[in-house]
Amino acid sequence: MAENFVGSRKKITPHLTQNEGLSFEKSAPGRKAYRLAPLDVPEVDPRSLLGESCRSQSAELPQLSEIEIVRHFTRLSTWNYAIDLGMYPLGSCTMKYNPRVNELVSRLEGIADAHPYQLEALAQGSLEIMRLLQECLLEITGMEAITLQPAAGAHGEFTGILLARAFHQAKGNARKTVIVPDSAHGTNPATAAMCGYEVVNFKSNPQGGIDVEALAKAVTEETAALMLTNPSTIGVFEKEIHRIADILHAKGALLYMDGANMNALCGKTRPGDFGVDVMHLNLHKTFSTPHGGGGPGSGPVACRRILEPFLPAPVVERGSDGQLRLNYDRPQSVGRVRAFYGNFGMFVRALAYILANGPDGLRQTTEDAVLNANYIRAKLEDVYDLPYTTPSMHEVVFSDRRQTRNGVKTGDIAKRLIDYGFHPYTVSFPLIVPGALMIEPTESESREELDLFVDAMREIAREVEENPQVVLDAPHSTRVSRLDETTAARKPVLRWKKP
Ligand SMILES: *Cc1c(COP(=O)(O)O)cnc(C)c1O
């Protein structure tokens, strides 16, 4: 059964096709992919034009025919995995489908050719895209002011905590600490530290939420903010969020929400309505702009009115003449956090996505994302350990507790999943779950794709019982199998060199 399953999946995932016998080095002297028209002017010695800077030997470029080049790059692209090939259940990353209409809109001539130095009078369309996106995001979050400048989620956190710092500073005391729960994304404590705060690590309760009594004791006059991910990294909605906000506000502290998980909330509830003061969004997660491989991202920061004076400059404003303009005259601003106005192409894609879905569509998206995660949870909880039984939102976190009895860890299961034609889930995160398997299917997946994934995960669980070695040696279907992951990250070899 396992063989058949892998076999049928292989057919639709060409990245699994083996091309044994095809060497990487394809160059052969004299092959060309171009033909120039015959020279119809006198030949010139390039040295007479370029002098010393002219190379004395011709460059050692590969010599290939056109079809060989096309096939080479097309083949390489199939050795990778992509959301366009299949489910990409990387928890916390919201790897959803990037609708083609977003790409179409972002390539419209007037949009694709816009230049950041264009005069405001000639850039009214681009400014309107930014203004309208801001309005939509404010409506979705229930917040009162926003900047689109930050280039990623972590960058948004940094900007948001800078706002909090400027806010406290303006009242005469920047305060000393930021409280970060132990379930937080690693970027949260890093952000607080980068903004000059001491990080107070806060232990989650057995349900994976905030212990309100303990929080009331932890918050002091020196607390600048609490950074809370909601739903948390174990996919649980923080039920006490109103009380948490009240506890902070009573001491003059702010509630920062890491909004990377908005895919579980859009159209259902709004952070502005449950007491959040400042938050970031990941357009490249929730709002379907392509991500992975290092960017581009976009991490707008939305806040309450009290933080507006500190927003990065410039901000988009409509003048009394009805024209949109960029206002740089912001004396209390934390300054710029990025060149120009942010990743404009991402704004276009996110706005296209929001407008194409509309409010009902966004709500449906949220419901489907939550339904899909709970479907997977229900189909796998008898074979994988579920450490938190609190209802799941958009993602479900299992642990490898049962599989470790046979010496198999979450990383091994993830690598075996590659053989079954899926991208691995998020491995060993969040840290509060030892040996975590963090699975986020998103709303993009059909019932059939979810079933294939469930079958694969169940097959792997069976293999762990019957033949753990096949899992420990996985992946078997890729060009390279187990790499030294530390060296691969610290000393990556990014260029092919002729042996
Ligand atoms: C992805 C993520 C971030 C960081 O976002 P980047 O765009 O990768 O910088 C922060 N917090 C949480 C919970 C996330 O999932």
Side-chain angles (χ1 to χ4, degrees), residues 427-442:
V427 174
S428 302
F429 179 80
L431 300 176
I432 48 167
V433 175
L437 291 71
M438 186 198 221
I439 301 170
E440 181 181 8
T442 84

Side-chain angles (χ1 to χ4, degrees), residues 67-85:
I67 190 169
E68 286 172 307
I69 295 170
V70 169
R71 284 188 182 157
H72 174 68
F73 285 108
T74 306
R75 189 180 301 119
L76 283 187
S77 77
T78 68
W79 292 351
N80 215 332
Y81 195 84
I83 187 68
D84 290 344
L85 280 171

Side-chain angles (χ1 to χ4, degrees), residues 77-196:
S77 77
T78 68
W79 292 351
N80 215 332
Y81 195 84
I83 187 68
D84 290 344
L85 280 171
M87 181 168 159
Y88 208 125
L90 204 56
S92 206
C93 293
T94 314
M95 302 299 291
K96 62 167 75 175
Y97 173 60
N98 308 129
R100 291 303 181 266
V101 65
N102 300 355
E103 298 305 314
L104 198 74
V105 175
S106 68
R107 282 164 175 71
L108 293 176
E109 204 179 335
I111 291 172
D113 293 347
H115 193 280
Y117 280 137
Q118 228 164 338
L119 297 176
E120 281 170 12
L122 299 177
Q124 289 294 303
S126 302
L127 292 174
E128 174 59 14
I129 287 170
M130 292 169 69
R131 192 207 59 79
L132 186 56
L133 177 63
Q134 292 185 358
E135 187 181 316
C136 292
L137 296 177
L138 289 176
E139 178 62 30
I140 288 167
T141 56
M143 306 300 283
E144 294 167 330
I146 190 165
T147 173
L148 301 177
Q149 237 179 64
H155 197 202
E157 289 173 34
F158 178 68
T159 307
I161 295 297
L162 282 186
L163 297 182
R165 192 181 180 91
F167 168 80
H168 290 302
Q169 190 77 65
K171 294 172 137 195
N173 175 10
R175 303 193 168 201
K176 287 205 176 65
T177 60
V178 168
I179 302 177
V180 182
D182 56 5
S183 64
H185 198 262
T187 49
N188 292 187
T191 290
M194 276 182 72
C195 294

Side-chain angles (χ1 to χ4, degrees), residues 144-145 163 167 249 254 277 303-310:
E144 294 167 330
L163 297 182
F167 168 80
H249 294 155
L254 298 174
D277 298 300
C303 61
R304 287 209 288 142
R305 194 71 70 201
I306 48 167
L307 294 168
E308 187 177 21
F310 312 105

Side-chain angles (χ1 to χ4, degrees), residues 91-94 151-157 183-188 229-233 258-261 280-285 291 297-299 394-395 429 438 440:
S92 206
C93 293
T94 314
H155 197 202
E157 289 173 34
S183 64
H185 198 262
T187 49
N188 292 187
T229 306
N230 194 23
S232 72
T233 49
D258 181 327
N261 293 339
H280 77 267
L281 293 159
N282 292 55
L283 298 190
H284 47 291
K285 292 180 180 172
H291 68 302
S298 181
H394 64 304
E395 61 196 0
F429 179 80
M438 186 198 221
E440 181 181 8

